[in-house]
Amino acid sequence: MSKTASPPPLAELRAEIDRIDEEMHRLLMQRGEIIGRLIKVKRTEESGSAFRPAREADMMRRLVERHRGILPLDTAESILRVVIATFTYVQAPFRVHADLSAGEAAMRDTERFHFGFTVPLVAHMGAAGVVAEVGKSKGDLGLVSATSPGSAWWSALEGNDAPKIIARLPFIERADHPAGLPVFAIARPHPDAIVRDVTIWSMKVSGWTGNAARAASALADLIAIPEGSFDGAALLVSVPQGKTVDDIVAALRGAGVSVRSQALVGSHATRYMVGADGARPVPTGR
């Protein structure tokens, strides 16, 4: 009978851990060297925001797909997010302006989870201040709640020279996400950063009713703020892949709504939800 193999000595296991830690550090420094060459090639400091939400969303999806073992997914995601954000900051220094009015602790957790502590955080009490500061900057980023608006702040994103919504965080959703506050990221997007999986429109309407809200919500995610006359409203409508803004306008008009104006105010990558069957697109209405 063969003897059962004895486990390796504790010192040997610790030495292996030390080797892996050193290798991770060397790889991070190697990544930094490549980023240094990238700066020279792209001249990112002259092109505005270095944030690339389409690429980052794809990186997060691939992280989820390959993740295995006892390390919590939250930890792996947070580490990669901080690495990405920090090297983005090294390419083109920026600040994150965050609206804390929807919940200070949740917003700070979201900002730190996605951008770490190297990127400066500037706190605001209201989305309007965030949009104004991003609009005055060269490459700063803004974070505002995607579900609890205090006003129709998105009206300030209308116009060719205004900043735009370029991402919705978190990139990968799950029920127990430690920084799961839904937020929009706002910036002056570099052309390479624009991804139009979901287009976002600012609309001014009259004749707004519960029936109209249900009709539009069946096709797209939306936020409505009463405005003007008693039946007027300002809408922020997120139109998913497979639908167009014309589909939304037709649904609203079919429900008796008059659409007074519409303007494209941003876009972002498709959201994904992690479940027992892996990562899958989040359906409309969430």
Side-chain angles (χ1 to χ4, degrees), residues 152 154-155 158 200-206 208-209 212-213 216 221-227 231-238 248-249 252 257-263 265:
W154 52 85
S155 296
E158 299 177 5
I200 306 177
W201 296 79
S202 171
M203 295 184 182
K204 302 291 192 304
V205 303
S206 57
W208 184 248
T209 64
D221 294 332
L222 63 84
I223 299 172
I225 294 292
E227 186 176 76
D231 64 350
L235 309 182
L236 183 66
V237 184
S238 299
I248 309 305
V249 171
L252 289 172
V257 173
S258 175
V259 180
R260 304 197 307 269
S261 67
Q262 61 189 61
V265 294

Side-chain angles (χ1 to χ4, degrees), residues 54 193-201 239-241 264 266-270:
I194 298 174
V195 55
R196 299 191 183 279
D197 292 352
V198 177
T199 57
I200 306 177
W201 296 79
V239 183
Q241 283 183 312
L264 183 66
S267 58
H268 63 75
T270 299

Side-chain angles (χ1 to χ4, degrees), residues 168 216-222 238 240 271 282-286:
R168 191 183 188 281
S217 295
L219 301 177
D221 294 332
L222 63 84
S238 299
R271 292 181 289 146
V282 175
T284 299
R286 283 197 68 258

